[in-house]
Amino acid sequence: MKTALFFMMDQYADWEGSYLASQLNQSKQWSVKTGSVAETVSSLGGFQTQIDYQIDNQLGRL
């Protein structure tokens, strides 16, 4: 199974990923997940999104 990771920042435009996500979700070969530096992000339209993968936000760390 392939995984598409949508990286989302707070105040993201909720309509931008909708077409691609709907196409990927129609296939059993793809799984759509979300990633961000925060646990929860909000869209411009007011949607609250619980993030699947939280990314470390420490600068200068390799």
Side-chain angles (χ1 to χ4, degrees), residues 1 10 15 17 33-34 41-42 50 52-53 55 60:
M1 177 176 285
D10 204 32
W15 60 87
K33 301 290 182 184
T34 56
V41 293
S42 300
Q50 186 71 32
D52 295 310
Y53 299 105
I55 298 165

Side-chain angles (χ1 to χ4, degrees), residues 3-31:
T3 300
L5 182 63
F6 283 51
F7 186 80
M8 305 170 84
M9 299 297 291
D10 204 32
Q11 297 297 306
Y12 69 95
D14 44 29
W15 60 87
E16 287 182 335
S18 60
Y19 178 75
L20 180 57
S22 68
Q23 294 301 306
L24 291 173
N25 277 322
Q26 291 180 29
S27 171
K28 293 184 185 214
Q29 295 177 350
W30 283 94
S31 171

